Amino acid sequence: MNFKLKTAAIAVLAASLVASFAYASSDKDPTAQGKKHVATKKKETCDACDQVKALRQELQTQIDSLKTDLAEKDAQLKKAQQAAADAQAAADKAQAAASSQSQAVTDNSAAVTTLQNTVTDMKSANASAVASLSDDAAAIKKSISSPSTLHYKSITLTPGGFVAAETVYRTKATGGDIPTAFSAIPYEHADAYTLSEFFGSARQSRITLQADGKLPWGTLRGYYEGDFLGTGISSNNNQSNSYVLRQRILYAQAETNSHWTFAGGQLWSLATEQKKGITSAPGDVATPQTIDPNYVTGFVWTRQYGFRVVKNFSKGAVGVSIENPQLVYTASLAGNTPYAVIGSAGANGGNYNAAISGCSPSTSIVNYTDQVTLNSGGYYVHVPVPVYKTVNGCANIANLSFNQAPDVVLKAALDPGFGHFEIFAIAGFAHQTIYPGETTDRNLYGGLTDVLATQKATIAAGTATTVLAAPALTTAGFHTNSIILGGVGGSLRIPLAQNKLSIGAKGLYGPGMGRYGNSTLADITSDATGAFAPVHNLSGLLTVEVNPNPRLSLYLNYGGDYAGRTDFATPTATTLGAPSSCWIVSATGNPGANPALDGCMTAATMLANGSPLAVQNSAYGASWKSPSPAAVGYGSRLLNNSSCLVSTNPGYNGGASTGYAPGGSCGAQTRSVQEVTGGYWYDIYKGDRGRLRQGIQYGYAVREGWSGASGIGAKGIDNMVWTTFRYYLP
């Protein structure tokens, strides 16, 4: 507005100046006409001059006034401009202040939002801290009132275990308590096969204790687990049932933060299946869910000394262990089998059991002597007098093999995310000392004289018939023999239906792997020279487990253990039979002069009837039977199974009765044991006050023996039911 006013004033002033200049120019016009006019009308012009002058003065006054006004207005304009500039500056400053204030408001708004978020977070953190503090307080209170772990110095102790009340019923007696001795299931028609058995027991009750110590580089751990399924010398069911506390699991372990594990002690064998990776913890071993503490046939396992090194990865593990060896030796040694040293009972000065379970004397006729006696008719007769020898055969409670080296087990496990898979290999080593001159027959008959040969040689020198004579004992040719045993195996376990169902399979095959199978069948036997011979073993198990809800678990297992036939019985196998005797009666009256004409009357006939023959007309002699095939090895085709599967005329079989037909035998060695078993576990309660479980298991087991002479085999079937009621520490 001030700028427009100033412009208008300048325009008015310019117009006034132009008009004044125009008047001035007209008065001073130099033309003659103008001058003449001024001269003639001088008087009139003076009046005009006055008017013009007055007008000019007035105009000047106006101009001056206008200038004054213009100056004032210019001053006002400048003042207005300054004011405007000041106002603009103030406005700019105000704008800047407003912008600053707006930014400050924005910053304040952000700060307020941040503060609100911080306050919210603080409230949440505070609530969480309060809850955590409350939980910590509750945990501390709980740990004080009912601790799940105990603290001793810088280690943590975790007790555990359970108390069990269990029963077992079997339709065929085994005398085995809660565990089933699968390889001792009686064959048909044995005494035990005619009776059932029931046992109630708390011996599977278990106690455990784990100690953990944390270090910057890893964890140190010790673990102990024991139950009462051991057998002391005097343990029985008569009154106090004082069964010993046995060493079940006991090991020390160091585990690094990089998942290297070093463990040693008594552990589950590295060959036993795990649930994930490879660990030493018993809870990570994939044992069948049976009540029977001997699990199920086909399950591959041992619990023994071992030292292992394991490396676990995110999806797998590898490990190697050395483990305590032991040979399960079963052999038929009928005939002239050399004597071999493979082990013995424990030494009295050591810590192994040196006791024997019993001795059974065996008395045999090893020869006959000739005694001349005057009979009731007044005749001198030859009377055969038997020569007896008694040998005590004692069974040790435990035979310990003299082991050459530890078993070596290699294992790799894979956990790809859809199951657990394992492969493993086992190597074993065995040695023995063989004494070829110390044979079965030589120990019984060695050094005795063949009376018949002596008599015939005396009667007619040079005409005696050649007969077998028992050679004398000798240690010549003794030597040490060594063999390597080994097998390969694997397992898999796959969860299905959101872990409510799982299927599994496992197995092991190889020579000398019998003791790693659940039935502990023979893993070595002996050949005709007394040397070790491995038995080829196979073990396999299929499992199905169902968990329809957190409390209920169902399971079904089918498995079997097999020991191959290792037979060394051939028609050329040599054995000396029990000696026979006969009277030599000569038609010529000169026994031995012409052996082709000599007759023979057995000693039994002579003893029963009494011969009236004169001394000079007869001679007496005894000799061993000719060589015949004999059962040697494992599952020999020459074993006497004459009473196996015989349903007629069973009965008392003398001494320690077997129940088989009198005069018969059933010595069939186990070919296979198979079992189908299933059951359930139900958690009545599971919480911080412990765990109360109940379960029932049914098992159907079949034991079959190798066929012997005449192709006769053996078979036994047992139906079994277990019940359990357990309380576990939380």
Side-chain angles (χ1 to χ4, degrees):
M1 177 63 70
N2 293 331
F3 177 74
K4 291 180 179 180
L5 181 60
K6 181 179 179 180
T7 303
I10 293 172
V12 171
L13 178 60
S16 301
L17 291 175
V18 169
S20 175
F21 180 74
Y23 281 115
S25 298
S26 298
D27 290 341
K28 294 180 178 181
D29 189 351
T31 64
Q33 186 177 359
K35 291 180 181 180
K36 183 178 178 179
H37 178 72
V38 173
T40 58
K41 294 181 179 181
K42 185 177 182 181
K43 187 174 184 200
E44 291 88 354
T45 60
C46 289
D47 294 334
C49 289
D50 293 336
Q51 292 177 356
V52 171
K53 184 177 180 179
L55 183 60
R56 290 180 65 183
Q57 288 177 349
E58 182 179 358
L59 183 58
Q60 186 65 43
T61 301
Q62 291 178 356
I63 290 173
D64 291 338
S65 176
L66 186 59
K67 286 181 178 181
T68 300
D69 292 339
L70 187 59
E72 290 178 356
K73 293 183 182 297
D74 187 58
Q76 291 176 355
L77 182 60
K78 288 182 179 181
K79 187 176 181 181
Q81 285 178 333
Q82 184 62 42
D86 293 341
Q88 184 64 38
D92 291 341
K93 184 176 181 181
Q95 182 65 35
S99 298
S100 177
Q101 186 67 27
S102 176
Q103 183 63 40
V105 170
T106 302
D107 292 343
N108 287 340
S109 178
V112 169
T113 302
T114 302
L115 184 59
Q116 289 175 339
N117 293 336
T118 301
V119 170
T120 302
D121 292 342
M122 289 180 66
K123 288 181 178 179
S124 176
N126 186 54
S128 178
V130 170
S132 177
L133 184 60
S134 176
D135 292 343
D136 289 344
I140 292 172
K141 183 178 179 181
K142 180 180 178 181
S143 66
I144 294 173
S145 60
S146 56
S148 59
T149 60
L150 306 175
H151 298 279
Y152 173 72
K153 295 186 177 180
S154 296
I155 64 174
T156 299
L157 302 176
T158 306
F162 60 82
V163 177
E166 297 174 336
T167 66
V168 62
Y169 172 80
R170 298 185 181 93
T171 58
K172 311 302 178 184
T174 66
D177 204 300
I178 297 297
T180 302
F182 291 103
S183 60
I185 292 175
Y187 290 135
E188 293 179 2
H189 312 303
D191 276 340
Y193 205 77
T194 63
L195 297 172
S196 63
E197 66 182 6
F198 171 87
F199 293 107
S201 176
R203 293 174 64 189
Q204 197 172 178
S205 300
R206 191 175 304 168
I207 56 174
T208 68
L209 180 64
Q210 180 171 307
D212 294 277
K214 296 291 185 179
L215 293 171
W217 52 265
T219 303
L220 300 179
R221 179 172 294 116
Y223 183 84
Y224 170 81
E225 180 177 296
D227 62 20
F228 301 88
L229 289 172
T231 304
I233 297 299
S234 60
S235 298
N236 58 64
N237 288 347
N238 296 346
Q239 187 177 57
S240 66
N241 295 349
S242 302
Y243 289 95
V244 298
L245 179 65
R246 71 167 178 165
Q247 172 182 300
R248 180 180 167 91
I249 300 289
L250 189 66
Y251 67 87
Q253 176 180 293
E255 183 177 3
T256 70
N257 295 331
S258 57
H259 305 296
W260 281 94
T261 301
F262 305 86
Q266 176 154 308
L267 308 102
W268 286 92
S269 171
L270 195 63
T272 310
E273 182 188 7
Q274 303 256 290
K275 296 177 182 177
K276 184 178 181 180
I278 302 175
T279 72
S280 305
D284 293 334
V285 176
T287 56
Q289 295 189 46
T290 59
I291 302 171
D292 188 343
N294 274 357
Y295 307 107
V296 58
T297 59
F299 180 49
V300 177
W301 68 281
T302 62
R303 285 192 302 266
Q304 59 195 10
Y305 166 83
F307 186 86
R308 63 177 60 172
V309 179
V310 175
K311 173 61 171 141
N312 279 284
F313 305 95
S314 59
K315 292 188 176 182
V318 293
V320 58
S321 71
I322 57 172
E323 302 184 8
N324 194 55
Q326 176 63 40
L327 300 176
V328 179
Y329 177 80
T330 303
S332 296
L333 299 175
N336 202 22
T337 306
Y339 181 76
V341 178
I342 62 173
S344 72
N348 286 322
N351 289 328
Y352 286 126
N353 195 338
I356 57 176
S357 59
C359 294
S360 54
S362 176
T363 302
S364 303
I365 298 175
V366 298
N367 209 336
Y368 292 91
T369 60
D370 183 17
Q371 181 176 345
V372 179
T373 304
L374 183 65
N375 67 6
S376 59
Y379 293 95
Y380 286 95
V381 296
H382 293 263
V383 178
V385 179
V387 178
Y388 297 96
K389 184 175 183 179
T390 300
V391 176
N392 278 322
C394 299
N396 299 318
I397 285 181
N399 281 317
L400 306 168
S401 57
F402 298 149
N403 303 309
Q404 184 177 19
D407 288 355
V408 179
V409 184
L410 302 173
K411 185 175 184 178
L414 181 64
D415 298 286
F418 54 88
H420 178 74
F421 306 87
E422 295 181 357
I423 56 172
F424 61 91
I426 305 173
F429 311 89
H431 63 173
Q432 65 179 158
T433 297
I434 302 172
Y435 295 91
E438 302 265 353
T439 65
T440 307
D441 287 334
R442 290 181 184 184
N443 278 285
L444 190 62
Y445 308 122
L448 296 177
T449 302
D450 188 314
V451 177
L452 178 59
T454 303
Q455 288 277 11
K456 297 180 75 171
T458 301
I459 295 172
T463 62
T465 303
T466 302
V467 295
L468 287 175
L473 293 173
T474 176
T475 58
F478 76 92
H479 64 280
T480 298
N481 177 47
S482 300
I483 61 171
I484 297 177
L485 310 171
V488 294
S491 66
L492 63 86
R493 186 172 293 264
I494 301 175
L496 302 169
Q498 298 179 340
N499 294 324
K500 291 187 176 181
L501 169 68
S502 72
I503 58 175
K506 54 187 67 67
L508 170 65
Y509 173 77
M513 295 291 102
R515 79 182 187 97
Y516 282 91
N518 193 74
S519 302
T520 58
L521 302 181
D523 45 38
I524 59 170
T525 187
S526 177
D527 64 17
T529 69
F532 279 147
V535 176
H536 284 73
N537 303 105
L538 174 65
S539 296
L541 176 63
L542 300 175
T543 66
V544 177
E545 297 177 0
V546 182
N547 299 284
N549 59 61
R551 287 192 173 189
L552 180 63
S553 178
L554 308 172
Y555 60 89
L556 179 66
N557 304 305
Y558 167 68
D561 296 303
Y562 169 86
R565 189 195 294 270
T566 311
D567 187 7
F568 296 101
T570 67
T572 59
T574 59
T575 179
L576 290 175
S580 64
S581 66
C582 69
W583 285 92
I584 302 172
V585 181
S586 174
T588 62
N590 186 13
N594 188 350
L597 300 177
D598 289 345
C600 183
M601 183 179 291
T602 65
T605 302
M606 291 297 295
L607 289 172
N609 300 323
S611 173
L613 295 177
V615 174
Q616 64 271 16
N617 291 329
S618 63
Y620 173 76
S623 64
W624 286 270
K625 294 178 181 179
S626 299
S628 61
V632 178
Y634 187 85
S636 173
R637 295 172 178 84
L638 295 180
L639 278 176
N640 181 4
N641 292 342
S642 59
S643 289
C644 296
L645 306 181
V646 177
S647 59
T648 59
N649 196 30
Y652 181 73
N653 204 9
S657 176
T658 62
Y660 297 113
S665 175
C666 186
Q669 290 162 334
T670 304
R671 181 183 70 177
S672 67
V673 184
Q674 300 177 70
E675 184 189 21
V676 177
T677 186
Y680 73 87
W681 289 93
Y682 181 74
D683 290 333
I684 301 172
Y685 170 81
K686 184 179 181 181
D688 58 2
R689 290 171 177 79
R691 185 182 191 185
L692 190 64
R693 302 190 83 189
Q694 185 270 333
I696 296 178
Q697 177 191 348
Y698 165 76
Y700 175 86
V702 180
R703 177 191 175 202
E704 294 182 295
W706 279 110
S707 60
S710 303
I712 300 175
K715 183 178 181 180
I717 298 175
D718 214 341
N719 291 272
M720 302 166 284
V721 178
W722 293 262
T723 68
T724 185
F725 185 71
R726 296 182 182 180
Y727 172 75
Y728 292 76
L729 289 178

